[in-house]
Amino acid sequence: IVAFSKDAGAGDVAALAPLVADAAKADAPAASRILSAGTDHIISTLSALGWRRDDPICAIGGVAAAYAPWLVAKAELVDPVGTPLDGAIARARRFAKGQLN
């Protein structure tokens, strides 16, 4: 593990995500803790950006499928209707109109 972490890049670490997700599906405690902690971090970060519990979440990206089962317990998940930039602009507009904290 130490040798791997010394030379691993982001892609090397990301390649482990499907293994962790599969292990969590098989009820491996360590993998479940990793995904639970990651989900808590996602929710905390979104909350800091003005997300509220009644706002849906659109999970996109390489590890979105791994987090979906964990996020669905905390928020409504929806399919994308545009690009990530579209979503960012929509949130900025809501913020500018005083609809977000």
Side-chain angles (χ1 to χ4, degrees), residues 34-74:
I34 290 169
L35 288 177
S36 179
T39 300
D40 290 345
H41 181 71
I42 291 167
I43 294 297
S44 174
T45 301
L46 290 174
S47 295
L49 294 171
W51 175 80
R52 298 173 305 218
R53 291 236 177 231
D54 59 338
D55 290 336
I57 294 175
C58 177
I60 59 171
V63 296
Y67 279 104
W70 298 85
L71 285 169
V72 75
K74 299 189 181 243

